[in-house]
Amino acid sequence: LGSANANFVAGKTYAEVLQRLVNTVAWGQSDGPNHFGWIYDLNDSNSADGSTLGWALLGLEIAQAAGATIPAELKTRLATMLTAALNTDGTLDYFADGNPASDNSVNVAKTGTALQGLAFTGVASSDPRVVAAVAYVTRNWSAKVDTGQTFDCTGGTPTRFNKGCGYAMFNVFKGLRLNGIQTLPGIG
């Protein structure tokens, strides 16, 4: 850190620095009601991004495991965002549209992020939203062609949407793990 920024952490414990980071991420949640997530800028009042959500959740999950306090309002607002962004088929919208019958730029990677968010907000793995998300991942995991997904991991040939794509694999693994799901039916 440059000397101008050193005062932010000078003399602070790791726990204090971690809590300040959590507080920043909490403050950085977008304003809603459909947008209580995160996007590329902190505290963007106009939007929430279903893919950016995963990175905020990763930091929050780790911080919570390390003993940081997650503000209750953050989880309440996140649950509201998930309600606005989750679709009846288990997918997560790129931009929450409040319409569960309308997919908005969905894919397996964001569905893994949805599973993480549901677990983080205390939703049981037997909840219909979790069940639908797991079913979507199961149906689309081995896709070798575009099945309506809007994300191509490699951007070239061979096209990889999920299996073999670190981004999708990481998000799905985290989502399944946090929900206590060990295997997907029919997936080798």
Side-chain angles (χ1 to χ4, degrees):
L1 291 177
S3 60
N5 293 320
N7 292 331
F8 293 116
V9 295
K12 306 281 189 240
T13 65
Y14 285 124
E16 290 171 316
V17 172
L18 181 61
Q19 189 62 54
R20 289 178 83 175
L21 290 168
V22 166
N23 295 345
T24 300
V25 171
W27 173 84
Q29 253 181 317
S30 300
D31 294 330
N34 288 349
H35 310 297
F36 289 137
W38 292 268
I39 196 161
Y40 302 99
D41 299 316
L42 290 175
N43 202 14
D44 185 313
S45 61
N46 297 315
S47 197
D49 175 339
S51 58
T52 302
L53 170 64
W55 304 115
L57 282 172
L58 177 62
L60 290 166
E61 292 159 358
I62 292 168
Q64 182 174 271
T69 301
I70 307 299
E73 181 183 6
L74 181 148
K75 289 186 179 185
T76 300
R77 290 167 55 109
L78 176 58
T80 300
M81 178 266 183
L82 288 169
T83 297
L86 283 165
N87 300 304
T88 53
D89 65 359
T91 58
L92 181 71
D93 287 334
Y94 183 66
F95 291 120
D97 60 13
N99 182 353
S102 171
D103 290 349
N104 176 317
S105 188
V106 300
N107 59 43
V108 168
K110 282 193 291 286
T111 304
T113 299
L115 288 167
Q116 293 173 54
L118 290 166
F120 189 69
T121 57
V123 172
S125 60
S126 59
D127 184 279
R129 296 170 294 177
V130 174
V131 172
V134 171
Y136 176 83
V137 170
T138 301
R139 282 191 313 274
N140 292 283
W141 182 249
S142 296
K144 301 227 185 290
V145 297
D146 185 353
T147 56
Q149 297 186 69
T150 58
F151 174 73
D152 172 357
C153 191
T154 63
T157 304
T159 300
R160 292 184 301 191
F161 293 100
N162 312 307
K163 190 175 181 181
C165 172
Y167 180 65
M169 291 172 63
F170 178 77
N171 282 312
V172 170
F173 167 78
K174 287 288 292 179
L176 294 174
R177 177 84 178 213
L178 291 170
N179 282 283
I181 299 167
Q182 299 296 316
T183 59
L184 295 174
I187 305 295

